[in-house]
Amino acid sequence: MNNRDIATSFLQMCSRGDVREAYERYVSADFVHHNAWFPGDRESLLRAMEQSAAAEPNKSFEVKQVIDGGDRVAVLSHLKRAGADLEYAVVHIARFADGRIVELWDLGQEIPKDSPNALGMF
């Protein structure tokens, strides 16, 4: 499995609630992340992702575009939060070493319902 497929599978598994399995399968033991809302260690983000999946089991996560830069892969996705009626454009950037995710960045932007841009976010 290549880095592009690993990044995509990891994010899809986490979004549907298979967080622990996704981490076991794809994430390095020395993984770090840059999400500003949580400590930067592996276990903190894993727990936060599990809590998010449990709190919003009906959210929708659709990968729209993947950019493969070798040891770094960027994934642009469309996230729909069913309970809150909110939608986001989300970018995850994963850095790889030895076929595992060792570092992760994530950025999101709420999609306005009345955007003047007819092309949309994707």
Side-chain angles (χ1 to χ4, degrees):
M1 188 176 255
N2 62 36
N3 290 347
R4 173 192 184 100
D5 293 338
I6 291 169
T8 301
S9 181
F10 169 74
L11 293 169
Q12 290 170 330
M13 289 177 72
C14 287
S15 72
R16 70 174 178 254
D18 299 326
V19 178
R20 197 155 295 270
E21 181 183 348
Y23 270 73
E24 289 171 6
R25 191 180 292 182
Y26 300 123
V27 175
S28 173
D30 60 349
F31 168 84
V32 296
H33 67 90
H34 301 275
N35 185 307
W37 302 108
F38 307 102
D41 63 284
R42 183 184 198 273
E43 189 64 25
S44 294
L45 189 62
L46 185 154
R47 282 194 317 269
M49 289 175 131
E50 285 181 325
Q51 291 168 357
S52 173
E56 293 188 86
N58 296 320
K59 70 177 162 255
S60 166
F61 182 85
E62 182 182 356
V63 173
K64 295 293 192 172
Q65 190 174 150
V66 181
I67 301 168
D68 188 342
D71 73 335
R72 285 174 176 78
V73 174
V75 181
L76 171 63
S77 306
H78 185 186
L79 172 66
K80 295 180 185 177
R81 295 181 59 196
D85 192 32
L86 296 171
E87 297 183 37
Y88 298 89
V90 182
V91 176
H92 289 89
I93 303 169
R95 184 174 68 83
F96 288 83
D98 300 321
R100 297 185 74 80
I101 300 169
V102 295
E103 195 166 12
L104 186 70
W105 295 261
D106 60 287
L107 307 146
Q109 179 179 353
E110 186 175 341
I111 300 171
K113 299 205 182 309
D114 60 351
S115 173
N117 188 331
L119 298 175
M121 298 287 292
F122 307 103

